[in-house]
Amino acid sequence: MFSSASLLTLLHLVLSITGSPVKASKSPVTIPMARRLQFSDSTTNHILARDKARANALRDPSMRGQRFFNTPLTNDYMIYTVSVGIGKPPTYYTLLVDSGSSNTWIGSSTPYVPTGSAINIEQPVSVGYGSGYFSGTEYLDTLTLSPGFTIIPQSFGVASKSAGFSNVDGILGIGPVLLTRGTLKNKDLNMETIPTVTDNLYSQGNIPADVVGIFFQPEVGPSRLDSGGELTFGGADPSKCKGDIVYTPITETNPASAYWGFNQAITYGSKTILSSTAGVVDSGTTFLLLATDAYEVYRTETGATVDPSTTLLMVTSDQYGALKNLDFNIDKQTVSLTPNGQIWPRSLNTNIGGKEGSIYLIVCDLGAPSGKGLDFINGYVFIQRFYTVLDTTNSRVGFAQTSFTDAVTN
């Protein structure tokens, strides 16, 4: 049995692993993701409510430790997951892929059964997500992402309490490591950071760069569980990209700079709806959220009205036919959401409380005016159309077109 002092010493040692990364010669490693539809059988408009609650947490860093919230906690949305093994031999857990947080944890559904390789650090840990939370204890153990692709050891949380994460076992956090600061509740460790899975893969020489590439396959049929894409650790997968990757530095504007934040301007057709400003790309957000003033310009330009059942913008068939590209001007280059990329998959209308045949837009109100330091969130509806690179090594994010950028599957 370890003493409290020796456990703290061990954790300090593990938390310092990323201080001196080794030079790795290995190639990037790609692991598959599953896309799962988790809509309830009842009519719901909770998806947007969850997004707004999460947006509030992203805008206010003090909410990361908050446990209690008012948003209904129903997992009524599409999620992207990976299977992660923990222990020797590994037990596999289904984890949400979240670029807006950095702690990895398990225990929401499948209980953690420690093997002989596990070390209970006996340190309390908790994270608030605005639309959910977990609290529990930090452990060390071997983490396996695919056969032969392991981290020894990885620090992760084991939940004793959680909310908002039914039907999954926890989160694989791939956000910037500074987001873990303050999540360990011991006063001696509160200002420490917990190396992320990506950080440790790099520091242990498993990948050539501290980079994650994300390929989200969008909805292409009625299946509730199918191939959802892939995560590439150590670089980008050029086979998923069409053309060059557009890179831009991490913004210096707070609070967006704490996340995968960057500067962009947004135009609808020839109309500027948001001048160059800071925001984030976030796999844990569903929709494309814009500052209220930009959202109102978009609503006026499209002629959309708010549907009371879903709370989403809705357009007629004629208005859909007249939709223009939504252009994201990033570092003097432009990527565009086509009209079809701006609508919710019509095959899923009834799953969100909508009507068959109706046309709902995926642009939503962030709930705050521009100029607050986080004026947009490019959620997974954006990532579904653009390959996304999260590059810690060079402090930048990147985007590239994919075979789904111009798809008309919605």
Side-chain angles (χ1 to χ4, degrees):
M1 178 67 66
F2 289 97
S3 68
S4 177
S6 63
L7 283 170
L8 283 173
T9 300
L10 175 61
L11 187 55
H12 273 295
L13 177 62
V14 171
L15 296 182
S16 67
I17 285 176
T18 57
S20 302
V22 300
K23 183 177 181 180
S25 59
K26 294 186 178 180
S27 300
V29 176
T30 295
I31 64 172
M33 286 189 289
R35 180 177 57 82
R36 178 182 298 175
L37 305 184
Q38 292 208 145
F39 301 106
S40 69
D41 294 330
S42 60
T43 300
T44 178
N45 58 15
H46 291 163
I47 304 175
L48 182 53
R50 288 176 62 89
D51 270 9
K52 288 189 174 183
R54 182 177 174 90
N56 288 336
L58 294 179
R59 293 202 308 271
D60 182 0
S62 67
M63 290 183 66
R64 286 182 212 143
Q66 181 174 311
R67 286 190 181 185
F68 303 105
F69 37 86
N70 297 320
T71 305
L73 292 178
T74 53
N75 268 336
D76 295 331
Y77 60 161
M78 186 187 304
I79 61 173
Y80 290 84
T81 64
V82 291
S83 180
V84 174
I86 294 179
K88 292 177 67 177
T91 298
Y92 283 86
Y93 301 88
T94 299
L95 303 186
L96 288 168
V97 176
D98 186 13
S99 67
S101 68
S102 303
N103 292 72
T104 291
W105 62 272
I106 61 173
S108 177
S109 295
T110 304
Y112 175 50
V113 180
T115 63
S117 58
I119 299 175
N120 183 350
I121 298 300
E122 300 179 7
Q123 297 301 318
V125 59
S126 65
V127 182
Y129 300 92
S131 57
Y133 78 93
F134 99 93
S135 62
T137 304
E138 199 73 7
Y139 275 74
L140 295 173
D141 207 342
T142 298
L143 185 145
T144 301
L145 291 166
S146 65
F149 191 46
T150 61
I151 301 170
I152 307 175
Q154 174 65 41
S155 185
F156 61 96
V158 175
S160 56
K161 296 180 181 179
S162 65
F165 301 98
S166 60
N167 301 318
V168 296
D169 297 318
I171 282 181
L172 177 69
I174 56 173
V177 70
L178 285 179
L179 293 178
T180 66
R181 180 169 289 168
T183 61
L184 290 171
K185 299 309 175 184
N186 185 303
K187 62 181 178 62
D188 295 322
L189 296 171
N190 190 252
M191 295 308 292
E192 296 279 1
T193 58
I194 303 171
T196 67
V197 166
T198 317
D199 290 340
N200 275 336
L201 287 170
Y202 178 51
S203 68
Q204 294 181 20
N206 290 313
I207 54 176
D210 197 344
V211 176
V212 182
I214 307 176
F215 175 71
F216 278 179
Q217 179 173 308
E219 165 69 13
V220 293
S223 173
R224 286 179 175 258
L225 178 63
D226 59 22
S227 173
E230 62 180 39
L231 281 182
T232 298
F233 291 95
D237 181 352
S239 72
K240 300 300 182 185
C241 302
K242 292 178 63 177
D244 295 333
I245 300 173
V246 176
Y247 284 105
T248 189
I250 298 297
T251 184
E252 297 181 356
T253 302
N254 290 320
S257 59
Y259 306 93
W260 294 113
F262 61 102
N263 297 328
Q264 71 178 7
I266 303 177
T267 57
Y268 175 75
S270 60
K271 178 77 171 181
T272 297
I273 64 173
L274 190 64
S275 298
S276 185
T277 188
V280 301
V281 60
D282 177 35
S283 67
T285 298
T286 301
F287 295 110
L288 172 63
L289 304 184
L290 301 182
T292 300
D293 43 315
Y295 164 82
E296 289 297 341
V297 175
Y298 178 80
R299 182 184 62 80
T300 299
E301 289 294 312
T302 60
T305 57
V306 177
D307 172 58
S309 297
T310 63
T311 69
L312 300 179
L313 291 178
M314 183 172 64
V315 292
T316 65
S317 295
D318 288 344
Q319 288 170 328
Y320 171 56
L323 284 182
K324 303 170 184 176
N325 280 357
L326 190 62
D327 295 328
F328 302 82
N329 305 302
I330 303 169
D331 205 16
K332 299 181 181 180
Q333 301 185 68
T334 300
V335 297
S336 300
L337 266 184
T338 63
N340 189 263
Q342 296 171 53
I343 69 172
W344 180 256
R346 280 168 282 188
S347 63
L348 301 179
N349 278 359
T350 57
N351 296 109
I352 60 169
K355 297 179 180 178
E356 290 186 13
S358 293
I359 303 174
Y360 303 102
L361 302 178
I362 52 84
V363 176
C364 301
D365 185 1
L366 181 65
S370 60
K372 299 296 184 180
L374 200 160
D375 295 338
F376 62 84
I377 301 177
N378 292 3
Y380 77 59
V381 292
F382 178 90
I383 302 174
Q384 286 176 330
R385 298 284 175 149
F386 300 101
Y387 191 91
T388 299
V389 182
L390 311 177
D391 186 345
T392 298
T393 297
N394 297 293
S395 298
R396 62 184 184 175
V397 296
F399 307 102
Q401 292 190 23
T402 75
S403 58
F404 293 105
T405 298
D406 298 324
V408 294
T409 52
N410 288 348

